[in-house]
Amino acid sequence: MGKRVVIAGGHGQIALKLEKLLAARGDQPVGIVRNPGHGADLIAAGAEAIVLDLEKSDVDEVAKVLNGADAAIFAAGAGPGSGLDRKDTVDKDAAVLFAEAAGRAGVRRHLQVGSMGADNPDASTDPGFAHYLRAKKAAEDDLRARDLDWTILRPGALTNDEATGKVLIAEKTGRGSIPRQDVAAVLVALLDTPSTAGKTLEVISGDTAITDAL
């Protein structure tokens, strides 16, 4: 049996690609979704779907889903069309809840999809985006303070281009873009690279194969 990997935001574009990659190699991806209508897409991707609204759940409910998992991945986001309050309740509060539940369930390996620019939110001239980055920063700061084997991955501008399998991964990469499929592949590789625990990494398209880059 492969690893049981629980993914918050299981119907996100990166998450669906990630679930397919994990299922294809024999892991057991479990996606947490808010909308019961999204379950079929997860099943098609090879994942188990668990309907749970992280904005309305308590830590025990989330810990139950995480019990017995080998890893937890937070890939949820309120999305560009959402109001400021949902950036707080999803991008910050749900991330904190998920990490707290992982600790309670004894799931040590924890990946969180952050955002480039989160270390300096006020540099953004767009008030909505600055608010989003502040929420992401708060979630990152919370995770760093926890006794978990965490890695924070901050992708550059996301595209739907074909995957290249080649990336630049560093604490600071500078601006750039990356296909969502490559971000999903980097998350899989992070699960296999325990030495990345305790690191905050940026990733954009580059010239190095993903496993070599890590």
Side-chain angles (χ1 to χ4, degrees), residues 45 73 177 207:
I73 301 178
S177 63
D207 304 318

Side-chain angles (χ1 to χ4, degrees), residues 86-127:
R86 289 207 66 229
K87 290 177 173 50
D88 288 331
T89 56
V90 179
D91 293 285
K92 178 173 64 111
D93 299 346
V96 169
L97 174 71
F98 193 61
E100 176 71 26
R104 195 168 291 191
V107 182
R108 293 210 49 90
R109 189 65 173 124
H110 198 98
L111 307 183
Q112 184 167 294
V113 180
S115 177
M116 214 176 261
D119 39 9
N120 189 11
D122 297 322
S124 172
T125 52
D126 173 345

Side-chain angles (χ1 to χ4, degrees), residues 7 10 15-16 19-20 23 28-31 39-49:
I7 301 157
L16 285 168
E19 287 151 8
K20 265 189 189 153
Q28 295 170 278
V30 179
D41 290 340
L42 271 74
I43 292 161
E48 179 188 338

Side-chain angles (χ1 to χ4, degrees), residues 84-194:
L84 295 184
D85 54 340
R86 289 207 66 229
K87 290 177 173 50
D88 288 331
T89 56
V90 179
D91 293 285
K92 178 173 64 111
D93 299 346
V96 169
L97 174 71
F98 193 61
E100 176 71 26
R104 195 168 291 191
V107 182
R108 293 210 49 90
R109 189 65 173 124
H110 198 98
L111 307 183
Q112 184 167 294
V113 180
S115 177
M116 214 176 261
D119 39 9
N120 189 11
D122 297 322
S124 172
T125 52
D126 173 345
F129 192 61
H131 190 95
Y132 163 76
L133 290 176
R134 278 194 289 275
K136 283 288 192 195
K137 180 180 192 301
E140 289 186 3
D141 290 346
D142 172 83
L143 184 59
R144 286 193 193 97
R146 292 180 183 276
D147 177 26
L148 293 169
D149 299 327
W150 56 265
T151 305
I152 294 164
L153 184 69
R154 296 171 169 170
L158 298 167
T159 72
N160 287 322
D161 297 343
E162 289 292 310
T164 66
K166 302 224 163 148
V167 293
L168 171 62
I169 297 177
E171 285 181 11
K172 285 275 168 254
T173 58
R175 295 249 164 231
S177 63
I178 182 167
R180 287 180 171 85
Q181 185 71 45
D182 280 330
V183 176
V186 170
L187 289 167
V188 172
L190 285 171
L191 290 176
D192 298 340
T193 318

